[in-house]
Amino acid sequence: DKANEYLVHAALDELTRDATTILITHDLLWARRADLILYMEDGRIWEEGSHAELLALDGRYAAMYALQQESAAELALAGVGMNHAVPI
């Protein structure tokens, strides 16, 4: 749920402050906070850059990010996951 997700985000922010961290995730809301993103698919790196750079590239990362944003918007309209008002 969103409340626990927020707690995990906060804990990781604290633990990784001033440290090099490798995060492997399919959730691009997590990835967009990284200084450097390596977009991997089928065992190979397809794109590399910051969140803004990869969106501007308009490639695989941007397409996946758009799909995730669309899914999140649909869930919000349906009221799914709206039990907790927690900022992320």
Side-chain angles (χ1 to χ4, degrees), residues 12 16 19-25 30 34 36 38 40:
L12 280 175
T16 61
T20 299
T21 305
I22 297 173
L23 173 67
I24 299 171
T25 183
W30 282 77
L36 176 65
L38 303 175
M40 295 182 68

Side-chain angles (χ1 to χ4, degrees), residues 9-82:
H9 277 256
L12 280 175
D13 283 345
E14 184 65 29
L15 290 170
T16 61
R17 184 173 292 130
D18 300 323
T20 299
T21 305
I22 297 173
L23 173 67
I24 299 171
T25 183
H26 66 278
D27 184 344
L28 300 185
L29 289 177
W30 282 77
R32 72 180 182 179
R33 302 165 73 174
D35 297 323
L36 176 65
I37 299 166
L38 303 175
Y39 182 85
M40 295 182 68
E41 191 175 304
D42 298 324
R44 99 174 240 233
I45 297 171
W46 288 90
E47 298 171 357
E48 177 180 334
S50 68
H51 175 74
E53 291 167 341
L54 293 175
L55 289 181
L57 185 62
D58 200 27
R60 292 171 183 257
Y61 177 90
M64 182 64 73
Y65 186 78
L67 282 173
Q68 286 191 7
Q69 292 298 306
E70 185 178 307
S71 293
E74 288 173 4
L75 290 173
L77 286 174
V80 175
M82 303 303 288

